[in-house]
Amino acid sequence: MPCLIGHFRDDRSPGVLHVPQCPTCQRPGTWRRLQPSLRRRASRIAFVSCSDCGLRAVLKEVQSDTSAARLFRVAQQVHRDFQGDGRLAVAQPLARSGSVLLFAHSPGTSPLPVLINGPMVNAIGLASAIGEWLATYHQIPVRVDESGDLNPAPLDLASEVRDLEAEFSSEGVHKPREAGVFKRLRTLALKASAEPLRRLVRLHGDAKPDNFLFDGETLVGIDIEGQYLGMPERDLAQFEAQLRASATRWLGRADQGRLLALSSAVAQGYRLRAPLDSARLNALRVICVLHSWINWRSASSATGWRWDLVFSPHVAALLAEPI
């Protein structure tokens, strides 16, 4: 198996990663992979241990040194300012070298299996904790000296809906099967726009079940992009869109009642620590599912696949059951 980190490759030992010194033993030894590396959208991740002292850690390689430097600054600030209570935490950054970041090992696994198939009482409790985690993360202040590093996420929901409608009018894109989707979504967006925008927060940027780890006691947030400033409701809507995509089976089959209960639990958990705008959240829930629809179609080699069969049931459920 090839090395994860190309410029640290040792062709004589293809299972070994060579990076600068371990932060514990201070020796420039090697990091051994504990399991196959993971390839993500714009990064690669390896779970490793120091061959000298046995320290377990996570190596993350991104596309450039500049991107790694920004991500490391974000990770340091989030870890410093995140006000967890022992149940909620974030991954601890340890070091950076070039385009490679080193994080402390966090025990636990993705909460996705519990959310989708676990006992309902456990799933609801975990969903509520994720809502609390997002609220705690959103309370981290954005300093004046770093605000210029943040890109603005869309704030004009009506304009965002018009852009989505134009995307779905393109040739070859299957439309939502339910009639009047965009007319109803425009109404939701206008209702949301009538409410005052109380605050903008640093968004997670990739809020999804697989970017949390849970060991039965502590929920740890990982892989925080943190490059957008926007409405807090967008992170919750993005999380729900990713959860719905992961929970969908053949031909769009999904337990809509369970998904609605989990989404409500995330929102309720969030409100234990910070306010949410219901109108804005309900508009963004549909918007983010439609964005996922477009993104999945664009990323798929099976461009003729009927993505409307997968996503239309979710769009219909979201419009019928606001939270």
Side-chain angles (χ1 to χ4, degrees):
M1 182 171 61
C3 254
L4 170 72
I5 311 301
H7 55 277
F8 294 131
R9 179 176 298 155
D10 181 346
D11 291 329
R12 296 168 300 173
S13 304
V16 175
L17 307 177
H18 289 265
V19 295
Q21 64 186 25
C22 169
T24 298
C25 67
Q26 304 297 312
R27 297 183 63 181
T30 56
W31 295 91
R32 299 188 178 278
R33 272 191 296 229
L34 301 176
Q35 61 190 67
S37 56
L38 303 175
R39 184 185 294 271
R40 292 199 165 184
R41 181 180 58 192
S43 64
R44 296 181 182 181
I45 295 174
F47 300 91
V48 298
S49 66
C50 175
S51 59
D52 290 313
C53 70
L55 174 72
R56 297 181 69 187
V58 177
L59 283 173
K60 177 178 179 178
E61 183 188 32
V62 296
Q63 293 175 329
S64 69
D65 294 6
T66 301
S67 177
R70 185 193 64 78
L71 287 171
F72 195 67
R73 287 196 304 271
V74 170
Q76 285 179 310
Q77 187 203 351
V78 169
H79 184 261
R80 182 183 66 243
D81 296 340
F82 187 86
Q83 299 296 313
D85 55 5
R87 298 183 304 113
L88 309 173
V90 294
Q92 179 185 1
L94 297 177
R96 180 185 74 87
S97 176
S99 61
V100 182
L101 299 92
L102 182 71
F103 289 88
H105 168 74
S106 297
T109 58
S110 167
L112 186 60
V114 175
L115 293 172
I116 295 178
N117 296 314
M120 198 61 187
V121 63
N122 295 351
I124 291 293
L126 193 47
S128 178
I130 289 170
E132 288 190 66
W133 189 97
L134 288 169
T136 304
Y137 169 76
H138 287 162
Q139 289 170 343
I140 296 174
V142 176
R143 299 195 305 265
V144 174
D145 63 341
E146 67 174 350
S147 59
D149 292 337
L150 295 173
N151 300 313
L155 298 179
D156 185 347
L157 298 186
S159 176
E160 192 170 358
V161 170
R162 286 195 296 272
D163 291 343
L164 274 170
E165 190 168 10
E167 286 263 21
F168 277 89
S169 297
S170 302
E171 183 179 356
V173 178
H174 294 292
K175 313 299 186 294
R177 289 185 293 166
E178 186 167 325
V181 163
F182 286 102
K183 180 179 180 180
R184 295 163 68 184
L185 184 52
R186 283 194 297 271
T187 300
L188 283 177
L190 289 172
K191 182 179 179 181
S193 300
E195 299 295 326
L197 185 57
R198 294 183 176 86
R199 63 187 180 128
L200 295 177
V201 301
R202 184 203 298 275
L203 297 176
H204 183 294
D206 195 15
K208 60 183 180 181
D210 283 341
N211 277 341
F212 292 93
L213 297 172
F214 185 61
D215 65 357
E217 294 183 1
T218 303
L219 181 71
V220 180
I222 63 172
D223 220 7
I224 297 168
E225 293 185 357
Q227 64 177 319
Y228 289 99
L229 191 68
M231 298 174 284
E233 293 81 9
R234 190 174 292 275
D235 263 345
L236 278 76
Q238 175 64 22
F239 178 86
E240 179 176 358
Q242 295 286 347
L243 175 62
R244 286 180 172 274
S246 299
T248 302
R249 297 174 176 83
W250 181 247
L251 294 180
R253 293 188 180 91
D255 187 339
Q256 296 294 344
R258 184 183 183 98
L259 290 170
L260 176 63
L262 293 176
S263 301
S264 298
V266 172
Q268 289 167 8
Y270 192 100
R271 288 189 172 103
L272 293 175
R273 298 186 177 230
L276 272 180
D277 185 290
S278 295
R280 199 166 278 117
L281 176 59
N282 283 314
L284 280 165
R285 291 169 71 217
V286 184
I287 287 170
C288 285
V289 165
L290 291 173
H291 276 307
S292 292
W293 184 335
I294 292 292
N295 291 340
W296 278 49
R297 182 187 182 279
S298 299
S300 173
S301 58
T303 54
W305 176 252
R306 295 293 302 273
W307 291 111
D308 56 322
L309 299 179
V310 176
F311 285 100
S312 279
H314 294 295
V315 173
L318 291 169
L319 290 170
E321 298 282 356
I323 58 175

